[in-house]
Amino acid sequence: MTTHRPDTPLPHIEFDGRPATEEDLRIPVLYGYGHFTAMQVRDGRVRGLGLHLARLHAANRELFDLPVDGDRVRELIRHALDGAGLRDASVRVNAYLPPGATRTTLMVTVREPAVMSAEARSLMSVPYVRTAPHIKRPGEFGQTYYGIRAGRAGFDEALLTAPGGVVTEGAITNIGFWDGSSVVWPGAPALAGITMTLLEQGLERAGRPSARRPVTLEGPDEVGRYRAAFVCNSQGIAPVRRIDRTAFAVDGELMGMLGAVYDGTPEDAV
């Protein structure tokens, strides 16, 4: 959960195309079982919009056995952007099914746009595996808990690991490694982030296909065997400078390649 400073504008929130009421806001507070997707909108356009819509539909089918109409989602996002008076924005679409409801409630949140800092990040490994990690959902206590602990220990983010020190994902990012010739994503259950997926697709088109292999904190597949690492999410891509005590050099050529691949991804009008 984000804590707003007094000078931070509150988000614009709509439920099913109308400004949120007190009754509406009780839904995420009291019935938090749901899912969401988060995206960056620039001039009314989004990279990987189709992937966001597919994510919402698949998760809604799994959780509620109901579809989510992509055209409806796009209409609600456009309406919320107009209501917030923004063309560039951070947008989240949350889906809930309150008790007794037969149609999914869609909450659209609009904030000022955000960009990930390009500064190299430090990650603290933690023993935590999300339930149903393929679903992006709100209220993840473990991620927040370990993220706060990582910050208190002087790190930028927590790195989630399965038993045996198997690397899965960052608390709010995907992580990738560079072996000098290709990008390697941890071959473990994790959320397939939209930015990660766009990078995979773009690298394939560029003739630099990435791979998924086991990555561990120690042993033959340990993180220290890689030349560089990076994290990514909807806000961008950033290099990793260390995981626990393992240091990584910032590979400018790698980051340039990833940036070019991402920037070359077509944008879709909402």
Side-chain angles (χ1 to χ4, degrees):
M1 181 179 295
T2 301
T3 301
H4 291 281
R5 300 187 306 272
D7 60 344
T8 303
L10 292 174
H12 176 79
I13 304 175
E14 295 187 359
F15 279 74
D16 293 329
R18 51 182 173 71
T21 65
E22 181 179 333
E23 188 68 24
D24 290 327
L25 293 173
R26 291 177 182 172
I27 295 173
V29 172
L30 300 177
Y31 312 110
Y33 182 73
H35 60 96
F36 76 99
T37 195
M39 64 192 77
Q40 291 295 314
V41 180
R42 298 295 183 266
D43 193 27
R45 305 180 71 83
V46 178
R47 285 190 175 90
L49 179 59
L51 295 173
H52 286 285
L53 299 179
R55 165 189 279 174
L56 289 171
H57 179 75
N60 216 66
R61 276 291 190 193
E62 182 168 345
L63 296 186
F64 306 135
D65 198 24
L66 290 172
V68 167
D69 181 71
D71 289 337
R72 178 186 175 215
V73 173
R74 295 173 71 177
E75 179 182 353
L76 293 177
I77 294 174
R78 290 195 298 268
H79 192 275
L81 288 169
D82 289 343
L86 294 174
R87 293 282 292 174
D88 296 345
S90 300
V91 173
R92 282 176 56 144
V93 181
N94 284 66
Y96 299 100
L97 188 67
T102 57
R103 186 187 188 193
T104 306
T105 293
L106 296 177
M107 179 180 78
V108 181
T109 304
V110 178
R111 305 175 189 269
E112 293 292 327
V115 177
M116 182 183 292
S117 170
E119 293 184 5
R121 302 170 71 86
S122 58
L123 309 181
M124 184 180 83
S125 64
V126 299
Y128 181 70
V129 177
R130 297 189 302 113
T131 302
H134 61 289
I135 296 178
K136 190 175 181 70
R137 60 188 187 275
E140 192 68 59
F141 176 86
Q143 286 169 270
T144 303
Y145 171 76
Y146 282 117
I148 291 173
R149 288 194 61 179
R152 288 175 179 170
F155 291 82
D156 296 305
E157 187 184 349
L159 178 65
L160 311 185
T161 63
V166 175
V167 174
T168 61
E169 58 191 326
I172 57 172
T173 59
N174 286 113
I175 185 167
F177 296 88
W178 177 244
D179 65 7
S181 60
S182 63
V183 169
V184 175
W185 307 98
L191 179 72
I194 303 301
T195 299
M196 171 186 167
T197 302
L198 293 176
L199 288 175
E200 281 188 303
Q201 294 174 349
L203 288 167
E204 180 74 30
R205 289 193 301 270
R208 304 292 296 269
S210 55
R212 298 196 185 192
R213 295 200 296 264
V215 179
T216 57
L217 296 177
E218 298 179 350
D221 300 313
E222 67 179 358
V223 295
R225 65 180 292 192
Y226 292 98
R227 291 175 50 177
F230 65 93
V231 291
C232 61
N233 63 16
S234 64
Q235 297 182 11
I237 310 165
V240 170
R241 61 183 176 85
R242 70 178 171 119
I243 296 175
D244 298 332
R245 296 182 179 179
T246 300
F248 295 90
V250 175
D251 190 315
E253 184 176 348
L254 167 67
M255 299 310 298
M257 178 182 69
L258 295 173
V261 166
Y262 184 70
D263 291 343
T265 302
E267 296 176 318
D268 303 304
V270 174

